[in-house]
Structure formats: structure tokens, C-alpha cells
Amino acid sequence: MLIHPWDAPASDTEWQQWLAVHDFGQLAVNGPAGEPPFVQPLHFFYDPGRGEALTHLARPNPLWSALEANPEVVLSVVDDYAYIPGPWQADPDGPAAHGTPTSFYAAVQLRCRAHVVDDPAEKAALLNRQVGHFQPEGGSAEVAVGEVPYGRMLSGIRGLRLEVTEVRAKFKYAGKRTAQVRERIAEGLADRGGPGDAAARKHLLRRQGA
């Protein structure tokens, strides 16, 4: 992923706060020689204090053998995207038709070293942490080895602890454009009001004021 200086996060806090509320992504695992990578959509829990992401998958998932052969993976998260028409980006002194269309988006890529979790007690602890993140209000029984209702299901899954070794983050929201052009884009997003436009506009205005 190309990251220009004007698209880079202002600090680790920026991407960490964004990732805290964007916890569904795609895990890319290197495939066998000559084969494309495995790409697995999944929910995950990112723990910035421990520098790790937690998730789990069904035991029959075909990516396990590839993961064990090469544990270096990438967890990719993309959201808050919007298409920006060319005229919105046009230079104020030039024809509107000469503006360049582009995409706005936020993206975080976590390069990780994957650790497979097969011990039943460790899997239960991992699941309880993951559910605690997604369901802080409770309402579900705790996962415990040998206990109903989930203990018998532990053998059907494998846990995955992703140790983060590198982070690449990008917030592509007209960072190199003039204030006048950014204001025009903000107005266009507000008027259009399509899916993703409000979130993209919020990033645009936030980063403009940074």
C-alpha cells in the first residue's frame, strides 16, 4: 500500500482509535507455491496494550496448513470510503472537467506473526476476550472447558493470536489539496449523502483541522 506523507496518520493514536471501532477485516495468508493467497474475512479483537489481534476459525478451514507453513500474515481493514468525482477536485483556476476523480478511504494493515491456539483452556480464554469486546453488555454464558453450552464446541475451532510486527495506516482524504478544494469536496459529500459519505466527510474535516 502506497502511503504519501499527506495521507499518513498524525500519530499512532489516530489509527488505533479508528481500529478500535473497525474490527472486521480480511486475513491474507500466503498460499502454497504457485497458488494465490488465502483471504479470510473475519471479526477480530485488537489489543493495543499487548500488540496483538485475537480471532478464531473453524477447524476445517483450508488456510490452516498454509498458515503453519508460513505464519507471516497481513490483517487488512478498509472502511469509510467514498468515490470523489473529478469536478470536486478541480483546481479553482482551471476547468471543472479537468479535475481528477479519486477514492477516499481509511486503511490499516497489520503485519503479524500468527500463533495457533489449540489448548482448550487457552481457546476458552481467547474466546471470552473476543466476546467481551463485541458483547460488553454480557448476556452469553462464559466459555469453559467441559462446561455447557460451549465447552463441547471447542474441539471444532482453532484460536488464532496475531502478534503485530508492523503497522501501515493510511487516511486518504485530500491531504495535499488546498483548503478551498477540500471545502468544495466537503460540501459535495454533504449534498450527495450517499453510503460512506458522512464518514469520509468527517475524516476530511478532522484532518483539515489537525
Side-chain angles (χ1 to χ4, degrees), residues 2-208:
L2 173 65
I3 305 174
H4 292 296
W6 50 84
D7 295 331
S11 66
D12 287 344
T13 300
E14 183 175 10
W15 67 261
Q16 288 176 349
Q17 289 180 342
W18 184 83
L19 196 62
V21 292
H22 292 83
D23 40 27
F24 189 87
Q26 297 192 85
L27 181 67
V29 179
N30 288 304
E35 295 294 321
F38 291 94
V39 181
Q40 174 67 50
L42 47 71
H43 274 106
F44 64 91
F45 164 48
Y46 174 66
D47 186 336
R50 299 189 183 187
E52 64 183 18
L54 303 178
T55 190
H56 67 280
L57 296 168
R59 187 172 290 276
N61 196 300
L63 66 69
W64 291 116
S65 59
L67 190 66
E68 290 167 343
N70 186 348
E72 298 299 318
V73 301
V74 172
L75 179 58
S76 176
V77 185
V78 181
D79 204 352
D80 301 343
Y81 53 86
Y83 174 77
I84 307 302
W88 294 8
Q89 289 220 122
D91 189 287
D93 299 325
H98 290 190
T100 305
T102 194
S103 300
F104 279 3
Y105 59 87
V108 173
Q109 295 178 351
L110 304 179
R111 180 170 180 172
C112 307
R113 183 170 297 109
H115 302 272
V116 178
V117 179
D118 274 330
D119 177 81
E122 292 180 4
K123 280 194 290 188
L126 182 152
L127 290 170
N128 286 325
R129 288 178 65 195
Q130 195 176 0
V131 173
H133 166 72
F134 286 103
Q135 203 173 307
E137 72 280 5
S140 293
E142 186 174 85
V143 183
V145 179
E147 301 290 336
V148 295
Y150 305 122
R152 64 182 180 81
M153 302 178 186
L154 287 172
S155 61
I157 66 166
R158 305 182 82 184
L160 196 53
R161 184 174 65 84
L162 303 174
E163 175 191 356
V164 179
T165 58
E166 181 184 0
V167 179
R168 294 179 59 76
K170 181 175 183 176
F171 294 89
K172 186 175 182 290
Y173 296 100
K176 69 173 182 177
R177 301 294 175 180
T178 64
Q180 184 177 352
V181 171
R182 290 197 299 267
E183 289 169 6
R184 182 201 297 147
I185 296 172
E187 291 175 2
L189 289 167
D191 291 342
R192 187 173 65 183
D197 285 350
R201 183 175 184 272
K202 184 176 180 180
H203 283 296
L204 173 66
L205 297 176
R206 174 182 60 79
R207 287 178 63 83
Q208 183 173 347

